[in-house]
Amino acid sequence: MADTSNFEFSLIMTIVNRGFADVVVDAAREAGARGGTVFYARGTGIHEIEKFFAVSIQPEKEVVMTLVRRDETQKIIHGIVKAAGLNTEGRGLSIVLPVSNAVGITHYNEDE
Amino acid sequence: MNKPTSETPVSDSAAKPLQERCADFMKRIEVLITIVDRGKGDKIVQALRESKVTYNLSSVGYGASGLALVDMLGLTSTEKDIIISVVPEERAHEILNILLYKFDLDKPDKGIAFTVPISGVSGPIALKYISGVQNHILKP
């Protein structure tokens, strides 16, 4: 069993407009993360629904989940915000969740 | 799973007042997120059900790790299943270990699983529902 007990992890969830998940993943990878998982979602925010010829169009979103080491969280989230934050076209919103247990993370052991 | 299941004697819990019976399942709970290759999700859910984790949501997703070049050549299978479940805090470690050994998660590219603590639930019925408490505990 890979020993990951020395590390504590955080989960960064980033919600971006659809098509910008790659920007988030690339930024996270550049800042030290190893990748991420993307799934599709649908935003229902108050400013989100646009009327288009009287047909309301739901905004399509992508959610990026990135599991990172806790000491690297700040660095990676800054990278993500810089590349796909609210001021950019991706309109990204990131949250960080604490991870209490994790298994299956093998790539951090390869370095050492 | 050949574990003895004598933890909740029905006759005993029926005698206690509702508040105490509720305290039995008012434990800290966590969200378990499992990410595996597409198609394996059902097996994960089945294994979780066998370990008495009854609230499982399955969704599709795409992995974004691996080398960009290999990705460009189309050699990687990036399609994933995401399973979101709710587990009691004291069983999180045990359930992660079950997943680890059953699905070889300690090998690279087999998938990951982790738990995130929950800080609130929208009421006792929701808590009962997501933590999979059987009805007989609530009913006198």
Side-chain angles (χ1 to χ4, degrees), chain A residues 1-95:
Chain A
M1 174 185 167
D3 182 27
T4 51
S5 55
N6 299 335
F7 303 131
E8 300 224 15
F9 292 93
S10 291
L11 177 72
I12 302 179
M13 288 186 93
T14 311
I15 304 158
V16 284
N17 285 335
R18 192 161 293 184
F20 288 87
D22 288 344
V23 179
V24 175
V25 172
D26 288 345
R29 204 178 281 166
E30 208 152 281
R34 299 304 171 97
T37 305
V38 185
F39 58 96
Y40 294 153
R42 183 166 56 86
T44 53
I46 192 160
H47 300 298
E48 302 277 12
I49 297 167
E50 287 174 26
K51 291 266 181 183
F52 186 72
F53 290 117
V55 179
S56 65
I57 299 184
Q58 290 282 5
E60 299 187 309
K61 303 280 184 187
E62 276 173 330
V63 183
V64 186
M65 295 199 298
T66 317
L67 204 57
V68 300
R69 252 163 71 176
R70 193 155 289 175
D71 52 336
E72 293 179 337
T73 307
Q74 287 300 317
K75 196 176 69 180
I76 291 167
I77 209 164
H78 277 138
I80 291 173
V81 167
K82 211 172 170 188
L86 282 173
N87 296 325
T88 65
E89 216 183 327
R91 300 274 180 269
L93 196 127
S94 288
I95 54 172

Side-chain angles (χ1 to χ4, degrees), chain A residues 1-2 11 13 21-22 25 29 34-40 64-65 67 97-107 110, chain B residues 30 33 35 59-66 80 82 92-93 96-97 100-101 105-108 111-117:
Chain A
M1 174 185 167
L11 177 72
M13 288 186 93
D22 288 344
V25 172
R29 204 178 281 166
R34 299 304 171 97
T37 305
V38 185
F39 58 96
Y40 294 153
V64 186
M65 295 199 298
L67 204 57
L97 300 173
V99 171
S100 37
N101 298 292
V103 294
I105 298 156
T106 50
H107 48 248
E110 288 164 12
Chain B
E30 296 191 328
I33 300 177
I35 302 167
S59 172
V60 294
Y62 297 89
S65 68
K80 304 282 178 193
I82 302 169
H93 210 262
L96 282 175
N97 270 327
L100 175 68
Y101 289 114
L105 298 189
D106 50 341
K107 301 205 179 79
I112 58 171
F114 53 91
T115 58
V116 179

Side-chain angles (χ1 to χ4, degrees), chain B:
Chain B
M1 307 300 117
N2 288 324
K3 281 186 60 184
T5 54
S6 59
E7 282 196 14
T8 51
V10 184
S11 54
D12 197 45
S13 70
K16 285 191 274 184
L18 181 67
Q19 226 166 0
E20 277 178 41
R21 267 176 280 135
C22 286
D24 287 344
F25 64 87
M26 293 253 294
K27 292 163 183 162
R28 293 200 78 83
I29 49 176
E30 296 191 328
V31 169
L32 167 70
I33 300 177
T34 314
I35 302 167
V36 286
D37 283 336
R38 183 76 53 87
K40 264 188 179 172
D42 287 345
K43 287 180 191 162
I44 297 272
V45 171
Q46 210 176 344
L48 287 171
R49 282 211 189 118
E50 280 169 18
S51 348
K52 292 183 190 155
V53 180
T54 49
Y55 189 75
N56 303 294
L57 300 170
S58 185
S59 172
V60 294
Y62 297 89
S65 68
L67 298 168
L69 177 68
V70 187
D71 203 32
M72 223 181 330
L73 294 170
L75 296 176
T76 52
S77 72
T78 57
E79 294 184 321
K80 304 282 178 193
D81 273 342
I82 302 169
I83 299 100
I84 300 170
S85 329
V86 177
V87 298
E89 189 185 46
E90 77 265 13
R91 290 197 64 214
H93 210 262
E94 171 204 337
I95 289 161
L96 282 175
N97 270 327
I98 289 171
L99 292 178
L100 175 68
Y101 289 114
K102 241 184 189 169
F103 298 95
D104 291 334
L105 298 189
D106 50 341
K107 301 205 179 79
D109 297 332
K110 290 284 185 182
I112 58 171
F114 53 91
T115 58
V116 179
I118 294 177
S119 51
V121 182
S122 64
I125 296 173
L127 175 65
K128 191 188 107 182
Y129 182 55
I130 63 175
S131 50
V133 173
Q134 267 75 44
N135 257 335
H136 65 77
I137 297 176
L138 270 193
K139 281 180 194 153

